[in-house]
Amino acid sequence: MPGLMVLNVVGLTPSLIGPNTPRIADFANRGRLATIGAVVPAVTCSVQSTYLTGLWPADHGAVGNGWYFRDDCEVRFWRQSNKLVAGEKIWETARRLDPTFTTANLFWWYNMYSSADFCVTPRPMYPSDGRKLPDVHSHPADLRDRLQAELGTFPLFQFWGPATTIASTQWIADAARRVVEWHAPRLTLVYLPHLDYGLQRHGPDLTRVASDLRELDAVVGQLLDFCSSRGDHVVMVSEYGIGPVRRPVHLNRVLREAGLLRVRHELGRVLLDAGASAAFAVADHQVAHIYVNDPGKLAETRRLIERVPGVARVYDAATKDELHLNHPRSGGLVALAAADAWFTYYYWLDERREPDFARTVDIHRKPGYDPAELFLDPALWLPKLKIAKTLLKRKLGFRSLLEVIPDHAEMVRGSHGLPAATLDESPVFISPFRDRPLPEVLPPTAVQATLLDLIGSLPKA
């Protein structure tokens, strides 16, 4: 029975399909290409959840890659439990129609503890001695061991951080092939993140990301050939386009200078004290949720944020419906950046007091997204030597911070989160079925139904 493999080619837009992506270009020319309408915020967790449920963030609840958990007064990013996403997922809808339907989820987010049949997602080990060891989580549990026995340990440090390479995307693609060979799921979801890194570092500059496009295209070509050899079909989607940016915007510093954001002083450093703050921002690329704990400060907070250069518009409870973001997890205010700007999480006013994680890759402790983690600090002398010495200290049992990234944001040249300015800069939906028309712009809430319709049209044997 033929299956459908959905390749999530992160960052792919019509403007990037061309001479550097011959396999993707040929696939698009033979089939049908539509762009996908905007989800706000246009970030991984929100967009993927919309595609898989057919619901807006206001309904499925993934209002960003992270948000403020009001019940315990903590900002948390990159949670993994599928229980955080409301709504019927695509595999649940398909299984309701056909109880024999099976799905494999390779690295799409909110992967853990879902009802999908086969799941693999990054899940490092954190021993109590302070180390972070590459690993994955899987369902069934032994799938993790079987994959890593064949493919080697998942290259976590090449999946995110300054050392990112095609290796992590290649590992995911190889894992997808193994899972399909072993289990033949009817639907296989595959996350291919490689373009995301170069595009955030350099922006959509074809002269700077050409090699990334060629590397990604080669991996896509392998999967196209693999599926063709089995009689399976492929659909390509992407989540957002990445646009050029030139200025970081530090909303939390504005709020702190106004006395609205509070910090704790610990060992000479400052930490965001979200629960004690009258207002603070959870920055997520070009969108920020502004949480206002003191309702009496709402108007003051709004006036402050609206006056910040680089802020395009601020939405409140009366207007968040325009963004489909009126959910209890959202901030009382939601700020959108200007097209050439993006929001940092930075809240310290003196770099001598910055938190100890500021110059490290630490996606869980930082109360906001930090694309500076993609860079090595240019001020470091022989950064690779510093990394090697730090890792050696850890192996010898000493705790040591791997402080190698910049604590400033000026190096970032690409960001996302806003609706695309043009169709050419929009995410794509590419179908191999030329005889089945697609609208010029596919609503993001229609991706689930469109995929189910394509699956339903495949022959049963």
Side-chain angles (χ1 to χ4, degrees), residues 153-176:
T153 302
F154 174 64
L156 179 74
F157 302 121
Q158 292 166 283
F159 180 68
W160 179 251
T164 52
T165 71
I166 192 64
S168 58
T169 292
Q170 184 70 67
W171 195 99
I172 296 169
D174 292 342

Side-chain angles (χ1 to χ4, degrees), residues 16 32 109 163 192 197 201 205 227 279 333 336 387 445 458:
L16 297 175
R32 293 269 188 175
W109 212 253
L192 302 176
Y197 313 133
R201 289 184 178 115
D205 181 346
C227 289
L333 303 171
L336 301 190
I387 293 170
T445 51
L458 299 179

Side-chain angles (χ1 to χ4, degrees), residues 224-281:
L224 290 172
D225 292 340
F226 170 75
C227 289
S228 177
S229 71
R230 294 175 49 84
D232 293 340
H233 299 276
V234 173
V235 164
M236 293 184 204
V237 301
S238 58
E239 302 166 3
Y240 43 74
I242 294 180
V245 293
R246 61 179 179 85
R247 49 177 172 159
V249 178
H250 312 295
L251 297 179
N252 278 325
R253 288 177 173 168
V254 172
L255 294 170
R256 186 175 173 201
E257 288 172 336
L260 297 170
L261 182 149
R262 298 290 180 86
V263 297
R264 282 176 52 85
H265 296 268
E266 297 185 358
L267 301 175
R269 310 271 189 161
V270 292
L271 296 176
L272 171 66
D273 196 347
S277 297
F280 62 93

